[in-house]
Amino acid sequence: MKRLLLLALCLTSSAVLAGERRHVLLETPVTYAAGANVVEQVKDECHIDDMLTHHVGDALRRLNRSDSGTIDANSAPGDAEVLKLQITYVMGVGGGAWTGPKAISLSADLIDNGKVVRHTKFKRWSVGGMWGAFKGTCSILDRTSLIISKDLSRWVHNPRYEIKDEDVPPPASATNAANAATAAPAAASSDTTAEDGGKKED
């Protein structure tokens, strides 16, 4: 009898803890930090802020297991935490992979009840190589923003997870492997959206 009671208490506690996991919403619009270093043509044509809103918002929707992944900066988040992103640097010019590696640097704040509870800054690179040789600059940066969304999803979900900053571009072979790994899930998500109007859970 005592064992059954203990098991019931454990199950109840687990259910309560699971139910208490708070949603995290991306504050929109994603902005550029004051003095952010980015080529104006790339900024105007690639819309990196929209790329991040799309990919990070989708990642948080999946994490929240709900239809909510973003929130307008002027709206009250309720009991949700807010992820605020600022683009601090973009390395990229026109010409796709032929003009060298591309990178996005971000500053991220996790905000709870108006207070910053966690902060991180990091950079993610994408190197063209053979896989990216025929990809335009905007496509390469879009792939980079998808990788960033996965990092941020892990970061907001696990307080012990640290996003490692990439000071220098990784070897082209490693980047091509990462690009190939993210390409298949992205394509699958697009197919799912076309069929049933929603994203498939990871």
Side-chain angles (χ1 to χ4, degrees):
M1 185 65 180
K2 289 183 178 179
R3 290 182 179 179
L4 290 175
L5 180 59
L6 181 60
L7 178 60
L9 288 173
C10 290
L11 290 174
T12 301
S13 299
S14 298
V16 170
L17 289 174
E20 288 181 350
R21 192 182 79 176
R22 298 170 65 191
H23 286 188
V24 180
L25 303 174
L26 173 66
E27 180 180 283
T28 60
V30 172
T31 60
Y32 287 85
N37 188 353
V38 54
V39 176
E40 283 298 321
Q41 183 179 359
V42 171
K43 180 179 179 180
D44 293 339
E45 294 184 5
C46 294
H47 304 287
I48 302 164
D49 49 345
D50 292 336
M51 292 178 181
L52 289 165
T53 297
H54 171 68
H55 290 306
V56 177
D58 277 354
L60 293 182
R61 270 188 284 272
R62 291 191 292 269
L63 183 65
N64 296 334
R65 298 184 181 276
S66 75
D67 295 331
S68 300
T70 62
I71 186 171
D72 185 89
N74 297 316
S75 299
D79 62 352
E81 294 178 304
V82 174
L83 175 64
K84 182 175 182 178
L85 300 181
Q86 280 198 317
I87 303 167
T88 58
Y89 172 69
V90 176
M91 182 176 182
V93 295
W98 301 114
T99 53
K102 310 292 183 283
I104 299 175
S105 291
L106 288 173
S107 172
D109 290 322
L110 186 62
I111 301 171
D112 184 12
N113 290 321
K115 296 182 179 180
V116 177
V117 293
R118 296 179 66 200
H119 171 78
T120 189
K121 295 172 66 176
F122 66 100
K123 179 187 296 178
R124 281 292 174 266
W125 293 86
S126 185
V127 181
M130 290 183 62
W131 185 88
F134 301 103
K135 293 286 185 180
T137 294
C138 293
S139 295
I140 295 174
L141 290 172
D142 184 64
R143 186 64 56 192
T144 307
S145 69
L146 178 60
I147 295 171
I148 286 171
S149 74
K150 296 178 183 295
D151 284 319
L152 288 170
S153 179
R154 297 187 187 102
W155 183 71
V156 301
H157 179 62
N158 182 0
R160 292 175 294 181
Y161 180 77
E162 295 184 5
I163 303 178
K164 294 182 179 179
D165 187 33
E166 294 179 347
D167 292 328
V168 296
S173 58
T175 304
N176 291 339
N179 285 338
T182 55
S189 295
S190 298
D191 293 342
T192 302
T193 302
E195 291 174 3
D196 60 14
K199 296 287 186 182
K200 183 182 291 186
E201 291 284 334
D202 287 345

XYZ file of all heavy atoms in Angstrom, residues 77-178:
776
model
N 3.341 39.631 -22.040
C 3.596 38.203 -22.218
C 2.841 37.296 -21.256
O 2.924 36.071 -21.373
C 5.104 38.089 -21.987
C 5.390 39.193 -21.020
C 4.463 40.316 -21.396
N 2.116 37.875 -20.306
C 1.440 37.031 -19.319
C 2.456 36.318 -18.461
O 3.386 36.931 -17.945
N 2.298 34.986 -18.314
C 3.243 34.232 -17.490
C 4.361 33.609 -18.312
O 5.126 32.794 -17.810
C 2.515 33.150 -16.695
C 1.830 32.132 -17.598
O 1.793 32.346 -18.822
O 1.322 31.124 -17.059
N 4.490 33.990 -19.581
C 5.543 33.446 -20.444
C 6.837 34.232 -20.262
O 6.829 35.412 -19.893
C 5.109 33.494 -21.905
N 7.953 33.573 -20.516
C 9.237 34.248 -20.587
C 9.419 34.772 -22.009
O 8.821 34.256 -22.954
C 10.370 33.301 -20.207
C 10.332 32.863 -18.751
C 11.443 31.893 -18.407
O 11.518 30.843 -19.083
O 12.209 32.169 -17.485
N 10.261 35.773 -22.159
C 10.448 36.417 -23.456
C 11.913 36.315 -23.873
O 12.817 36.598 -23.074
C 10.017 37.893 -23.411
C 10.352 38.602 -24.724
C 8.519 38.000 -23.131
N 12.137 35.911 -25.113
C 13.476 35.867 -25.691
C 13.640 37.086 -26.590
O 12.903 37.258 -27.567
C 13.662 34.584 -26.498
C 14.990 34.458 -27.270
C 16.176 34.415 -26.316
C 14.972 33.213 -28.153
N 14.588 37.936 -26.255
C 14.842 39.139 -27.043
C 16.166 38.993 -27.779
O 17.196 38.720 -27.165
C 14.879 40.377 -26.144
C 15.103 41.678 -26.910
C 15.012 42.893 -25.990
C 15.192 44.188 -26.766
N 15.060 45.383 -25.886
N 16.129 39.164 -29.093
C 17.328 39.028 -29.917
C 17.700 40.353 -30.553
O 16.829 41.123 -30.971
C 17.101 38.008 -31.040
C 16.756 36.575 -30.654
C 16.600 35.728 -31.905
C 17.823 35.982 -29.738
N 19.001 40.601 -30.639
C 19.513 41.726 -31.401
C 20.652 41.230 -32.286
O 21.535 40.493 -31.822
C 20.007 42.843 -30.491
C 18.899 43.722 -29.929
C 19.427 45.045 -29.412
O 20.460 45.102 -28.739
N 18.731 46.126 -29.728
N 20.606 41.621 -33.536
C 21.666 41.280 -34.472
C 22.790 42.284 -34.284
O 22.582 43.497 -34.402
C 21.152 41.326 -35.928
C 19.956 40.381 -36.102
C 22.268 40.977 -36.905
C 19.193 40.600 -37.398
N 23.986 41.797 -33.970
C 25.104 42.694 -33.698
C 26.104 42.770 -34.844
O 26.870 43.726 -34.943
C 25.839 42.266 -32.416
O 26.300 40.909 -32.556
C 24.906 42.355 -31.205
N 26.100 41.740 -35.708
C 27.088 41.717 -36.792
C 26.659 40.699 -37.833
O 26.166 39.622 -37.499
C 28.466 41.340 -36.230
C 29.546 41.096 -37.260
C 30.064 42.138 -38.021
C 30.064 39.821 -37.452
C 31.064 41.916 -38.953
C 31.072 39.582 -38.374
C 31.576 40.632 -39.123
O 32.556 40.408 -40.039
N 26.823 41.051 -39.093
C 26.588 40.108 -40.183
C 27.769 40.185 -41.125
O 28.094 41.264 -41.648
C 25.290 40.425 -40.956
C 25.150 39.466 -42.139
C 24.076 40.316 -40.048
N 28.434 39.057 -41.321
C 29.519 38.998 -42.293
C 28.959 38.382 -43.562
O 28.575 37.212 -43.581
C 30.684 38.159 -41.776
C 31.854 38.108 -42.736
S 33.255 37.196 -42.057
C 34.438 37.396 -43.388
N 28.872 39.167 -44.599
C 28.337 38.641 -45.853
C 28.180 39.751 -46.869
O 27.725 40.844 -46.558
N 28.610 39.460 -48.086
C 28.395 40.354 -49.217
C 27.772 39.543 -50.341
O 27.653 38.319 -50.243
C 29.716 41.011 -49.692
C 30.282 41.912 -48.614
C 30.745 39.937 -50.076
N 27.360 40.185 -51.400
C 26.760 39.458 -52.507
C 27.737 38.476 -53.139
O 28.944 38.596 -52.994
N 27.194 37.495 -53.842
C 28.050 36.543 -54.528
C 28.030 35.150 -53.959
O 28.740 34.266 -54.424
N 27.223 34.946 -52.932
C 27.092 33.604 -52.374
C 28.391 33.062 -51.834
O 29.208 33.779 -51.263
N 28.584 31.756 -52.025
C 29.764 31.084 -51.474
C 31.055 31.573 -52.112
O 32.126 31.441 -51.520
C 29.629 29.568 -51.673
N 30.968 32.162 -53.300
C 32.170 32.610 -53.988
C 32.822 33.786 -53.282
O 33.992 34.093 -53.528
C 31.843 32.987 -55.428
C 31.251 31.858 -56.224
C 30.007 31.779 -56.735
C 31.901 30.624 -56.585
N 29.817 30.587 -57.388
C 30.966 29.856 -57.313
C 33.183 30.100 -56.352
C 31.262 28.595 -57.821
C 33.477 28.837 -56.865
C 32.526 28.098 -57.585
N 32.104 34.491 -52.434
C 32.655 35.657 -51.741
C 33.014 35.340 -50.296
O 33.078 36.230 -49.458
C 31.662 36.835 -51.784
O 30.391 36.403 -51.291
C 31.503 37.351 -53.198
N 33.250 34.068 -50.003
C 33.744 33.694 -48.689
C 32.653 33.315 -47.698
O 31.464 33.332 -48.011
N 33.069 32.986 -46.464
C 32.126 32.535 -45.430
C 31.181 33.645 -45.014
O 31.462 34.832 -45.159
C 33.044 32.114 -44.281
C 34.296 32.893 -44.485
C 34.450 33.023 -45.967
N 30.045 33.235 -44.485
C 29.027 34.163 -43.986
C 28.840 33.901 -42.493
O 29.026 32.781 -42.010
C 27.697 33.951 -44.720
C 27.809 33.931 -46.244
C 28.173 35.288 -46.811
C 28.220 35.268 -48.329
N 29.440 34.634 -48.855
N 28.454 34.937 -41.764
C 28.276 34.767 -40.320
C 27.217 35.726 -39.794
O 27.008 36.808 -40.349
C 29.591 35.005 -39.577
N 26.554 35.309 -38.729
C 25.598 36.159 -38.008
C 25.981 36.133 -36.531
O 26.172 35.068 -35.950
C 24.149 35.653 -38.158
C 23.721 35.658 -39.630
C 23.194 36.503 -37.319
C 22.345 35.045 -39.864
N 26.108 37.329 -35.940
C 26.356 37.449 -34.499
C 25.112 37.995 -33.827
O 24.457 38.898 -34.356
C 27.536 38.388 -34.225
O 28.745 37.821 -34.658
N 24.808 37.446 -32.660
C 23.584 37.817 -31.945
C 23.852 38.081 -30.471
O 24.771 37.497 -29.875
C 22.556 36.693 -32.029
C 21.854 36.422 -33.352
C 21.025 35.167 -33.223
C 20.990 37.601 -33.752
N 23.016 38.931 -29.902
C 22.917 39.086 -28.457
C 21.526 38.614 -28.067
O 20.533 39.027 -28.676
C 23.111 40.557 -28.073
O 22.849 40.751 -26.703
N 21.448 37.721 -27.080
C 20.163 37.146 -26.680
C 19.938 37.336 -25.190
O 20.826 37.073 -24.370
C 20.115 35.658 -27.017
N 18.742 37.820 -24.843
C 18.340 37.970 -23.444
C 17.081 37.157 -23.195
O 16.124 37.238 -23.975
C 18.048 39.434 -23.110
C 19.295 40.294 -23.081
O 20.336 39.802 -22.605
O 19.238 41.448 -23.553
N 17.080 36.394 -22.106
C 15.871 35.702 -21.668
C 15.293 36.519 -20.519
O 15.961 36.738 -19.504
C 16.185 34.279 -21.216
C 14.977 33.411 -20.869
C 14.073 33.225 -22.090
C 15.421 32.048 -20.334
N 14.068 36.997 -20.702
C 13.467 37.957 -19.783
C 12.269 37.336 -19.065
O 11.401 36.736 -19.695
C 13.021 39.220 -20.544
C 14.242 39.849 -21.248
C 12.357 40.219 -19.615
C 13.879 40.968 -22.202
N 12.261 37.490 -17.752
C 11.168 36.981 -16.922
C 10.634 38.126 -16.072
O 11.376 38.716 -15.271
C 11.676 35.839 -16.028
C 10.564 35.203 -15.208
O 9.378 35.475 -15.489
O 10.873 34.425 -14.287
N 9.359 38.460 -16.274
C 8.748 39.561 -15.521
C 9.544 40.856 -15.639
O 9.748 41.581 -14.652
C 8.587 39.182 -14.044
C 7.525 38.113 -13.848
O 6.494 38.127 -14.508
N 7.784 37.178 -12.946
N 10.030 41.129 -16.842
C 10.743 42.377 -17.097
C 12.208 42.378 -16.713
O 12.906 43.370 -16.938
N 12.709 41.279 -16.142
C 14.104 41.216 -15.714
C 14.872 40.198 -16.551
O 14.364 39.112 -16.840
C 14.194 40.834 -14.230
C 13.585 41.866 -13.294
C 13.756 41.437 -11.840
C 13.160 42.474 -10.894
N 13.318 42.068 -9.471
N 16.096 40.551 -16.933
C 16.948 39.638 -17.684
C 17.484 38.572 -16.737
O 18.196 38.881 -15.779
C 18.124 40.384 -18.353
C 19.045 39.399 -19.061
C 17.603 41.429 -19.341
N 17.131 37.315 -16.999
C 17.573 36.219 -16.132
C 18.729 35.434 -16.749
O 19.459 34.760 -16.038
C 16.397 35.265 -15.804
C 15.367 35.977 -14.949
C 15.741 34.724 -17.070
N 18.882 35.536 -18.064
C 20.012 34.894 -18.734
C 20.398 35.743 -19.934
O 19.556 36.403 -20.550
C 19.669 33.473 -19.197
C 19.368 32.515 -18.066
C 19.016 31.139 -18.600
N 20.150 30.506 -19.251
C 20.053 29.495 -20.118
N 18.860 29.039 -20.458
N 21.118 28.953 -20.641
N 21.689 35.714 -20.270
C 22.193 36.497 -21.398
C 23.294 35.707 -22.091
O 24.083 35.019 -21.446
C 22.742 37.843 -20.915
C 23.461 38.613 -21.995
N 22.802 39.322 -22.969
C 24.791 38.758 -22.247
C 23.682 39.889 -23.774
N 24.894 39.564 -23.358
N 23.347 35.812 -23.402
C 24.429 35.189 -24.144
C 24.686 35.967 -25.421
O 23.812 36.674 -25.937
C 24.101 33.705 -24.488
O 25.267 33.081 -25.035
C 22.970 33.609 -25.513
N 25.913 35.869 -25.917
C 26.294 36.455 -27.199
C 27.065 35.386 -27.959
O 27.928 34.708 -27.386
C 27.176 37.687 -26.995
C 26.469 38.848 -26.303
C 27.439 39.967 -25.955
C 28.002 40.631 -27.204
N 28.883 41.787 -26.852
N 26.757 35.223 -29.231
C 27.465 34.202 -29.989
C 27.388 34.482 -31.489
O 26.589 35.292 -31.950
C 26.915 32.804 -29.688
C 25.489 32.580 -30.140
C 25.219 31.910 -31.320
C 24.422 33.036 -29.377
C 23.915 31.690 -31.730
C 23.113 32.828 -29.783
C 22.854 32.154 -30.967
N 28.256 33.787 -32.204
C 28.339 33.935 -33.659
C 28.234 32.557 -34.293
O 28.760 31.571 -33.762
C 29.671 34.581 -34.038
C 29.896 34.762 -35.533
C 31.318 35.246 -35.814
C 31.538 36.624 -35.222
N 32.934 37.095 -35.432
N 27.539 32.488 -35.423
C 27.449 31.250 -36.183
C 27.859 31.512 -37.624
O 27.408 32.464 -38.247
C 26.015 30.684 -36.145
C 25.694 29.967 -34.853
C 26.493 28.684 -34.710
N 26.304 28.058 -33.403
C 27.105 28.256 -32.361
N 28.133 29.079 -32.477
N 26.891 27.635 -31.225
N 28.728 30.624 -38.117
C 29.270 30.736 -39.463
C 28.595 29.744 -40.405
O 28.103 28.702 -39.983
C 30.770 30.436 -39.467
C 31.626 31.423 -38.762
C 31.927 31.447 -37.425
C 32.323 32.527 -39.348
N 32.760 32.493 -37.144
C 33.025 33.170 -38.304
C 32.426 33.019 -40.647
C 33.824 34.296 -38.533
C 33.211 34.130 -40.872
C 33.894 34.767 -39.823
N 28.662 30.043 -41.669
C 28.305 29.080 -42.705
C 29.310 29.239 -43.821
O 29.508 30.343 -44.351
C 26.892 29.322 -43.232
O 26.529 28.312 -44.151
N 29.985 28.143 -44.132
C 31.010 28.164 -45.170
C 30.444 27.515 -46.421
O 29.797 26.471 -46.342
C 32.277 27.408 -44.707
C 33.353 27.457 -45.777
C 32.791 28.009 -43.408
N 30.696 28.120 -47.565
C 30.117 27.619 -48.810
C 30.543 26.213 -49.166
O 29.800 25.256 -49.047
N 31.798 26.051 -49.575
C 32.266 24.746 -50.009
C 31.473 24.248 -51.207
O 30.761 24.983 -51.866
N 31.556 22.964 -51.485
C 30.853 22.408 -52.640
C 29.346 22.463 -52.455
O 28.598 22.757 -53.373
C 31.294 20.949 -52.874
C 32.719 20.822 -53.364
S 33.136 19.105 -53.690
C 31.977 18.708 -54.982
N 28.860 22.170 -51.216
C 27.403 22.142 -50.995
C 26.788 23.508 -51.221
O 25.722 23.644 -51.789
C 27.110 21.662 -49.578
C 25.650 21.508 -49.339
C 24.887 20.401 -49.585
C 24.748 22.483 -48.824
N 23.587 20.642 -49.257
C 23.468 21.889 -48.787
C 24.897 23.793 -48.389
C 22.347 22.575 -48.325
C 23.787 24.470 -47.927
C 22.528 23.863 -47.908
N 27.522 24.578 -50.765
C 26.950 25.909 -50.851
C 27.412 26.722 -52.040
O 27.118 27.905 -52.130
N 28.161 26.100 -52.960
C 28.759 26.862 -54.052
C 27.723 27.567 -54.898
O 27.979 28.628 -55.454
C 29.614 25.936 -54.913
N 26.548 26.994 -55.039
C 25.528 27.569 -55.895
C 24.399 28.220 -55.085
O 23.341 28.495 -55.616
C 24.970 26.489 -56.829
C 26.038 25.888 -57.693
C 26.556 24.651 -57.401
C 26.558 26.594 -58.776
C 27.559 24.101 -58.177
C 27.561 26.051 -59.552
C 28.072 24.804 -59.260
N 24.651 28.424 -53.799
C 23.674 29.089 -52.960
C 24.001 30.578 -52.916
O 25.150 30.976 -52.765
C 23.699 28.528 -51.530
C 23.229 27.086 -51.425
C 21.719 27.010 -51.586
C 21.216 25.597 -51.355
N 19.755 25.501 -51.502
N 22.996 31.429 -53.010
C 23.206 32.857 -52.880
C 23.483 33.236 -51.440
O 23.286 32.450 -50.519
N 23.941 34.466 -51.263
C 24.250 34.946 -49.922
C 23.058 34.838 -48.986
O 23.181 34.381 -47.848
C 24.737 36.405 -50.003
O 25.988 36.441 -50.703
C 24.921 36.996 -48.615
N 21.879 35.247 -49.448
C 20.691 35.199 -48.590
C 20.340 33.767 -48.199
O 19.940 33.505 -47.061
C 19.502 35.861 -49.285
S 19.703 37.650 -49.521
N 20.497 32.826 -49.123
C 20.199 31.425 -48.821
C 21.158 30.877 -47.780
O 20.757 30.115 -46.885
C 20.273 30.581 -50.101
O 19.275 30.953 -51.010
N 22.429 31.260 -47.876
C 23.413 30.793 -46.904
C 23.112 31.376 -45.528
O 23.158 30.678 -44.504
C 24.838 31.162 -47.359
C 25.191 30.412 -48.651
C 25.858 30.835 -46.269
C 26.511 30.824 -49.263
N 22.765 32.659 -45.480
C 22.428 33.279 -44.199
C 21.135 32.701 -43.618
O 20.989 32.590 -42.395
C 22.305 34.796 -44.369
C 23.620 35.535 -44.628
C 23.355 36.996 -44.984
C 24.544 35.436 -43.415
N 20.209 32.315 -44.490
C 18.986 31.672 -44.013
C 19.311 30.333 -43.356
O 18.745 29.986 -42.317
C 18.018 31.474 -45.181
C 16.683 30.907 -44.728
O 15.972 31.589 -43.971
O 16.355 29.766 -45.126
N 20.230 29.582 -43.960
C 20.654 28.320 -43.363
C 21.323 28.560 -42.020
O 21.116 27.804 -41.055
C 21.618 27.601 -44.328
C 22.031 26.199 -43.901
C 20.858 25.273 -43.871
N 20.171 25.230 -45.148
C 18.988 24.670 -45.323
N 18.367 24.122 -44.308
N 18.410 24.670 -46.511
N 22.115 29.644 -41.936
C 22.765 29.987 -40.675
C 21.735 30.318 -39.608
O 21.865 29.914 -38.445
C 23.713 31.185 -40.874
O 24.604 30.917 -41.954
C 24.525 31.452 -39.613
N 20.683 31.041 -39.979
C 19.645 31.407 -39.002
C 18.877 30.176 -38.526
O 18.409 30.134 -37.385
C 18.691 32.439 -39.600
O 17.893 31.886 -40.629
N 18.757 29.164 -39.368
C 18.119 27.919 -38.957
C 18.957 27.211 -37.893
O 18.428 26.705 -36.888
C 17.901 27.006 -40.163
C 17.293 25.632 -39.887
C 15.913 25.760 -39.253
C 17.207 24.808 -41.178
N 20.273 27.193 -38.095
C 21.172 26.597 -37.103
C 21.087 27.372 -35.791
O 21.053 26.792 -34.698
C 22.619 26.579 -37.645
C 22.722 25.656 -38.859
C 23.602 26.143 -36.558
C 24.038 25.734 -39.601
N 21.016 28.698 -35.882
C 20.886 29.541 -34.698
C 19.612 29.199 -33.924
O 19.606 29.154 -32.691
C 20.899 31.031 -35.110
C 22.317 31.453 -35.498
C 20.354 31.923 -33.988
C 22.400 32.832 -36.113
N 18.531 28.957 -34.654
C 17.258 28.641 -33.979
C 17.368 27.374 -33.151
O 16.770 27.274 -32.070
C 16.133 28.498 -35.014
O 16.231 27.286 -35.751
N 18.117 26.402 -33.611
C 18.294 25.165 -32.857
C 19.113 25.420 -31.596
O 18.822 24.869 -30.526
C 18.956 24.104 -33.747
C 18.102 23.685 -34.934
C 18.830 22.673 -35.806
C 18.009 22.305 -37.036
N 16.756 21.606 -36.692
N 20.158 26.254 -31.723
C 20.954 26.617 -30.548
C 20.096 27.309 -29.495
O 20.159 26.992 -28.309
C 22.097 27.560 -30.957
C 23.235 26.833 -31.648
O 23.590 25.737 -31.203
O 23.768 27.365 -32.631
N 19.302 28.275 -29.928
C 18.497 29.046 -28.987
C 17.395 28.204 -28.351
O 17.060 28.403 -27.173
C 17.898 30.261 -29.687
C 18.899 31.372 -30.027
C 18.258 32.419 -30.924
C 19.435 32.017 -28.752
N 16.835 27.268 -29.093
C 15.817 26.386 -28.532
C 16.397 25.566 -27.382
O 15.767 25.414 -26.327
C 15.263 25.465 -29.621
O 14.297 24.583 -29.089
N 17.597 25.057 -27.563
C 18.259 24.292 -26.493
C 18.598 25.208 -25.312
O 18.461 24.828 -24.148
C 19.532 23.629 -27.017
C 19.307 22.594 -28.112
C 20.601 21.870 -28.454
N 20.449 20.998 -29.602
C 20.854 21.280 -30.828
N 21.448 22.442 -31.069
N 20.681 20.434 -31.821
N 19.043 26.420 -25.632
C 19.491 27.357 -24.597
C 18.347 27.763 -23.682
O 18.500 27.801 -22.458
C 20.118 28.574 -25.267
C 20.692 29.573 -24.320
C 21.830 29.442 -23.555
C 20.166 30.869 -24.018
N 22.034 30.584 -22.816
C 21.024 31.482 -23.081
C 19.057 31.581 -24.480
C 20.818 32.758 -22.579
C 18.838 32.857 -23.984
C 19.707 33.437 -23.043
N 17.183 28.096 -24.235
C 16.065 28.522 -23.392
C 15.452 27.338 -22.635
O 14.871 27.516 -21.567
C 14.963 29.248 -24.204
C 15.530 30.471 -24.898
C 14.303 28.320 -25.215
N 15.590 26.142 -23.188
C 14.991 24.958 -22.561
C 15.841 24.433 -21.405
O 15.309 23.927 -20.420
C 14.814 23.864 -23.605
C 14.229 22.593 -23.065
N 12.966 22.537 -22.508
C 14.736 21.332 -22.983
C 12.718 21.300 -22.112
N 13.774 20.555 -22.383
N 17.166 24.565 -21.526
C 18.075 23.979 -20.542
C 19.001 25.060 -19.984
O 19.913 25.514 -20.666
C 18.901 22.870 -21.194
C 19.835 22.173 -20.210
O 19.875 22.507 -19.026
N 20.603 21.217 -20.710
N 18.796 25.486 -18.740
C 19.625 26.549 -18.147
C 21.104 26.201 -18.091
O 21.944 27.098 -17.978
C 19.043 26.704 -16.731
C 17.666 26.156 -16.816
C 17.720 25.052 -17.830
N 21.437 24.924 -18.168
C 22.847 24.520 -18.107
C 23.510 24.475 -19.473
O 24.719 24.308 -19.570
C 22.956 23.143 -17.439
C 22.598 23.155 -15.955
C 22.608 21.764 -15.363
N 21.557 20.946 -15.940
C 21.307 19.685 -15.604
N 22.055 19.098 -14.693
N 20.332 19.014 -16.171
N 22.702 24.648 -20.513
C 23.263 24.596 -21.870
C 23.907 25.931 -22.222
O 23.305 26.983 -22.075
C 22.165 24.266 -22.882
C 22.656 24.192 -24.307
C 23.353 23.077 -24.763
C 22.423 25.241 -25.188
C 23.808 23.001 -26.068
C 22.865 25.169 -26.504
C 23.562 24.058 -26.940
O 24.011 24.000 -28.233
N 25.149 25.890 -22.671
C 25.863 27.085 -23.092
C 26.110 27.022 -24.597
O 26.579 26.008 -25.115
C 27.193 27.215 -22.348
C 27.043 27.430 -20.846
C 28.377 27.639 -20.164
O 29.407 27.714 -20.882
O 28.408 27.705 -18.923
N 25.783 28.094 -25.277
C 26.033 28.168 -26.716
C 27.486 28.562 -26.922
O 27.913 29.638 -26.488
C 25.105 29.181 -27.396
C 23.641 28.830 -27.124
C 25.370 29.221 -28.893
C 22.656 29.813 -27.717
N 28.244 27.709 -27.562
C 29.653 27.994 -27.795
C 29.803 28.962 -28.968
O 29.249 28.749 -30.043
C 30.409 26.693 -28.079
C 30.444 25.748 -26.883
C 31.245 24.491 -27.187
C 31.284 23.560 -25.978
N 32.052 22.320 -26.273
N 30.549 30.018 -28.721
C 30.783 31.013 -29.754
C 31.779 30.472 -30.779
O 32.751 29.800 -30.421
C 31.329 32.289 -29.119
C 31.431 33.431 -30.113
O 30.592 33.507 -31.020
O 32.359 34.246 -29.986
N 31.514 30.746 -32.040
C 32.428 30.339 -33.109
C 33.232 31.566 -33.542
O 32.754 32.403 -34.304
C 31.650 29.765 -34.300
C 30.938 28.460 -33.987
C 30.163 27.916 -35.177
O 29.975 28.665 -36.169
O 29.745 26.747 -35.120
N 34.472 31.666 -33.037
C 35.308 32.821 -33.356
C 35.814 32.785 -34.800
O 36.024 33.823 -35.415
C 36.509 32.889 -32.411
C 36.088 33.213 -30.983
O 35.092 33.941 -30.817
O 36.745 32.748 -30.044
N 36.031 31.585 -35.291
C 36.533 31.440 -36.659
C 35.655 30.447 -37.395
O 34.998 29.598 -36.776
C 37.998 30.944 -36.669
C 38.915 31.977 -36.031
C 38.129 29.607 -35.946
N 35.605 30.522 -38.716
C 34.777 29.579 -39.473
C 35.237 28.149 -39.242
O 36.438 27.870 -39.187
C 35.000 29.998 -40.931
C 35.536 31.380 -40.877
C 36.297 31.480 -39.597
N 34.292 27.216 -39.086
C 34.664 25.799 -38.970
C 35.151 25.300 -40.317
O 34.948 25.946 -41.350
C 33.348 25.132 -38.565
C 32.295 26.023 -39.150
C 32.843 27.419 -39.065
N 35.823 24.139 -40.345
C 36.237 23.578 -41.633
C 35.040 23.407 -42.557
O 33.937 23.107 -42.114
C 36.836 22.213 -41.245
C 37.220 22.363 -39.814
C 36.215 23.305 -39.210
N 35.266 23.604 -43.852
C 34.167 23.516 -44.816
C 33.466 22.166 -44.756
O 32.244 22.075 -44.876
C 34.691 23.768 -46.226
N 34.230 21.094 -44.513
C 33.622 19.763 -44.480
C 32.634 19.641 -43.327
O 31.560 19.061 -43.473
C 34.714 18.692 -44.342
O 35.479 18.913 -43.164
N 32.990 20.216 -42.167
C 32.098 20.147 -41.011
C 30.843 20.967 -41.253
O 29.738 20.572 -40.900
C 32.823 20.646 -39.761
N 31.009 22.128 -41.873
C 29.853 22.975 -42.143
C 28.933 22.348 -43.162
O 27.711 22.401 -43.054
C 30.315 24.352 -42.649
O 31.208 24.912 -41.682
C 29.141 25.287 -42.846
N 29.509 21.721 -44.197
C 28.679 21.063 -45.202
C 27.851 19.946 -44.579
O 26.686 19.742 -44.935
C 29.561 20.502 -46.326
C 30.185 21.608 -47.158
O 29.696 22.728 -47.174
N 31.266 21.279 -47.850
N 28.459 19.208 -43.639
C 27.724 18.132 -42.975
C 26.572 18.702 -42.156
O 25.462 18.159 -42.149
C 28.672 17.327 -42.081
N 26.824 19.825 -41.454
C 25.767 20.450 -40.654
C 24.669 20.994 -41.554
O 23.481 20.874 -41.262
C 26.355 21.578 -39.798
